[in-house]
Amino acid sequence: MGHACAASRYLYDAGSVRKVTSPRSSSVSNAEVFGAQRARLRVLAYRILGDMWDAEDAVQNAWLRFAETDLSTINDVDAWLTTVVSRAAIDVTRRRRTHQTLPVDDIAEPATPIDDPRADPERLILKDEQVAMAFTIVLRELSPVDRLSYMLHDVFGYPFAEIAEIAGSTVDVVKKRASRARQRLRDRDWDAIRQEQRREVVAFLAAARSGEMHDLIALLDPDVTLRADADAIALAASRQAENAPALTPKITGSDAVGDALSGRIDEAIIVEFAGLAAIAYWRDRKEIVALYVLTVGAGKVVKIDALADPATIRTALQTGMLSKP
């Protein structure tokens, strides 16, 4: 896959860069090496895709390929896996776009290109949390390569030459893609978006705590979906005597989701995950052990992800993707 730049050997965070070591030894199995990287890759894929389940699909696709690869043929395991997951993310978003109607590739070029030195540099700078929020909210407005080019270059510090290799494109194309993605993001009213989303999450938590089904269902889209990972399901099952949420891998519909959660969220606090308000189960007011990530659209909660994988939560905290209470 070519030689990656030094940045590829790091755990990417918009605010800092921290070295990740890749165990390389003839006595280390592919499963052990991948297991040490999975949480990092899952967070990376989420930052690109904005959906934890799509991110997991991308990571699983990377594992299927990595499992059949001879470790001795890989010069840099971190860079290799980052590249494979990034490409898998492109494939996931391309498949998802077959169900979209947005003409995401028909983007008018700005009169003054965003990369032009005449552009106001302060307007090109997005705070870390705004970048994460941007990709959560405007995800479906951007084509796969637009999103990947912007994220890897502007957020993770990749050079365009490496992005072109990952995307299977040219340097000129990925530069243009990053530029027009930046144009899409630059004029958003981030404070208004953040405040509106936070109001919905706060109202949801209050309604869920109250046990008033009518109030909770009023906040849910009729076709809302609640998905839970295996750790969230196990945690909830272990706390049923404490009236914990009744979770299964997938619950669909406002009545069913309301019934699973109404009056069942305790020890919960509001945190920020990927720049947006989320709900966390704060066990004994000491540690975050589960997250409820809400997607809001048109004033309704359209999707809830219940996540409790310890490695994912730990990595999200380490990278600043998840705020501490």
Side-chain angles (χ1 to χ4, degrees):
M1 289 197 179
H3 297 287
C5 70
S8 296
R9 295 190 294 273
Y10 291 83
L11 177 63
Y12 301 102
D13 169 47
S16 62
V17 183
R18 184 166 55 80
K19 187 70 179 288
V20 174
T21 57
S22 293
R24 296 192 69 223
S25 166
S26 59
S27 64
V28 179
S29 70
N30 286 42
E32 290 173 308
V33 172
F34 193 86
Q37 295 270 3
R38 179 178 282 275
R40 176 183 76 87
L41 296 172
R42 195 180 188 198
V43 169
L44 171 63
Y46 180 83
R47 292 295 292 268
I48 295 172
L49 290 163
D51 182 282
M52 191 59 76
W53 308 103
D54 284 347
E56 188 58 44
D57 286 345
V59 172
Q60 185 61 24
N61 289 340
W63 160 243
L64 293 175
R65 183 170 179 181
F66 187 69
E68 302 298 325
T69 301
D70 182 353
L71 286 178
S72 66
T73 66
I74 303 176
N75 292 326
D76 187 327
V77 173
D78 294 348
W80 192 97
L81 287 171
T82 298
T83 298
V84 171
V85 168
S86 297
R87 288 178 173 171
I90 292 178
D91 291 339
V92 168
T93 50
R94 280 176 174 158
R95 290 196 301 270
R96 187 166 55 196
R97 283 181 62 209
T98 62
H99 304 292
Q100 293 180 298
T101 58
L102 280 173
V104 293
D105 284 322
D106 298 330
I107 302 174
E109 291 300 315
T112 300
I114 199 72
D115 293 324
D116 192 297
R118 292 171 294 172
D120 179 3
E122 290 191 6
R123 297 193 69 196
L124 309 185
I125 299 173
L126 292 174
K127 294 180 181 179
D128 298 349
E129 65 271 16
Q130 292 176 334
V131 172
M133 181 170 60
F135 277 82
T136 300
I137 292 175
V138 303
L139 182 69
R140 294 184 182 278
E141 297 181 14
L142 302 174
S143 74
V145 179
D146 287 358
R147 177 163 55 257
L148 189 77
S149 299
Y150 176 79
M151 284 293 288
L152 292 186
H153 182 266
D154 286 37
V155 180
F156 297 147
Y158 276 61
F160 282 119
E162 186 177 355
I163 298 170
E165 182 181 355
I166 291 173
S169 187
T170 68
V171 171
D172 287 344
V173 168
V174 295
K175 280 184 176 180
K176 182 177 180 180
R177 297 286 192 154
S179 175
R180 65 188 197 175
R182 210 175 293 126
Q183 175 70 18
R184 278 286 180 108
L185 301 174
R186 65 181 297 193
D187 293 325
R188 293 303 177 100
D189 187 343
W190 302 114
D191 286 339
I193 292 172
R194 181 198 299 273
Q195 290 169 12
E196 180 180 0
Q197 191 268 352
R198 187 178 184 85
R199 281 195 298 269
E200 295 295 331
V201 173
V202 170
F204 173 89
L205 178 56
R209 280 174 169 167
S210 73
E212 294 293 335
M213 274 284 287
H214 177 78
D215 293 343
L216 181 58
I217 290 176
L219 297 171
L220 301 174
D221 183 88
D223 298 319
V224 63
T225 298
L226 188 160
R227 297 185 66 177
D229 66 16
D231 292 280
I233 294 170
L235 178 64
S238 71
R239 298 179 57 249
Q240 284 303 296
E242 304 168 44
N243 202 32
L247 299 181
T248 60
K250 186 176 181 179
I251 304 172
T252 303
S254 56
D255 288 342
V257 171
D259 186 59
L261 299 178
S262 183
R264 293 173 176 267
I265 297 183
D266 61 350
E267 293 191 63
I269 56 173
I270 300 292
V271 295
E272 285 197 353
F273 182 74
L276 293 173
I279 297 169
Y281 172 54
W282 197 18
R283 184 164 57 191
D284 298 327
R285 300 182 67 83
K286 293 180 180 179
E287 61 177 334
I288 293 175
V289 295
L291 287 170
Y292 290 88
V293 182
L294 278 60
T295 300
V296 176
K300 299 284 186 179
V301 176
V302 298
K303 184 176 68 170
I304 304 170
D305 293 329
L307 311 170
D309 173 59
T312 297
I313 291 175
R314 181 171 58 253
T315 303
L317 284 167
Q318 289 172 345
T319 61
M321 185 181 183
L322 171 62
S323 67
K324 295 181 180 180

